[in-house]
Amino acid sequence: MYQIDLTRYLRIKYKFGGRDYPNLDCFGLVMCFYRDELGITLPLDKSICDATSENENLVKEKVKYRQVKEQELCDNKMYIACFYGGGKFRHCGVVIDRKILHTSQSGTVYKSISDCRLRFNAWEIKYYEVVSEGGS
């Protein structure tokens, strides 16, 4: 189980395209979290969010991802949540203990998946686990 102090992330100031803490956008938060908490460097682009098919394994810039169904999410793992609307990527966050940490112009929050589903009611949510760095 991970011991993570979310206070640092709840102080993020939203900045579109932001990649330097504390000025981050949603993907900047995901990148910062994975780098600082898990020691995993994610690609600079949102390539993880390009997946469209169920249970697709992806290898993007030496990072391998596996799509996970919502009912398979575990409390002791971290996941990337990607939100899609109209068939396009719209937003992302980090799933920790079945809650999503995400930032937007409205602020940074840590909410249940059901709260996020209500907030983004027209959007589909897909979940990805980082399986390994240096994928084959």
Side-chain angles (χ1 to χ4, degrees), residues 117-128:
R117 192 171 301 290
L118 288 173
R119 163 75 169 86
F120 303 106
N121 64 358
W123 294 357
E124 175 184 12
I125 307 173
K126 292 185 182 180
Y127 306 94
Y128 298 93

Side-chain angles (χ1 to χ4, degrees), residues 12-32:
I12 287 171
K13 297 174 183 132
Y14 180 83
K15 178 181 179 184
F16 182 77
R19 298 291 183 263
D20 297 313
Y21 181 86
N23 303 304
L24 303 167
D25 67 4
C26 62
F27 191 71
L29 180 149
V30 171
M31 288 178 59
C32 178

Side-chain angles (χ1 to χ4, degrees), residues 22-83:
N23 303 304
L24 303 167
D25 67 4
C26 62
F27 191 71
L29 180 149
V30 171
M31 288 178 59
C32 178
F33 183 91
Y34 268 77
R35 181 192 64 228
D36 296 351
E37 301 298 332
L38 306 176
I40 297 172
T41 302
L42 297 177
L44 291 175
D45 64 6
K46 297 177 183 85
S47 59
I48 175 59
C49 303
D50 293 338
T52 55
S53 64
E54 281 294 310
N55 295 320
E56 181 178 4
N57 290 327
L58 303 169
V59 178
K60 299 285 188 177
E61 295 186 26
K62 300 183 180 177
V63 177
K64 186 176 181 181
Y65 305 92
R66 182 178 70 86
Q67 188 171 344
V68 179
K69 295 178 191 272
E70 187 171 320
Q71 61 269 26
E72 298 172 328
L73 297 175
C74 299
D75 283 342
N76 60 349
K77 292 185 178 179
M78 308 293 166
Y79 304 91
I80 300 170
C82 294
F83 298 76

Side-chain angles (χ1 to χ4, degrees), residues 1 4 10 24 43 45 51-52 57 64 76 79 86 99-100 106 110 112 115 120 122 132-133:
M1 191 75 133
I4 296 172
L10 295 172
L24 303 167
D45 64 6
T52 55
N57 290 327
K64 186 176 181 181
N76 60 349
Y79 304 91
K99 292 184 179 180
I100 301 176
S106 304
Y110 181 55
S112 71
D115 284 347
F120 303 106
S132 66
E133 288 185 272

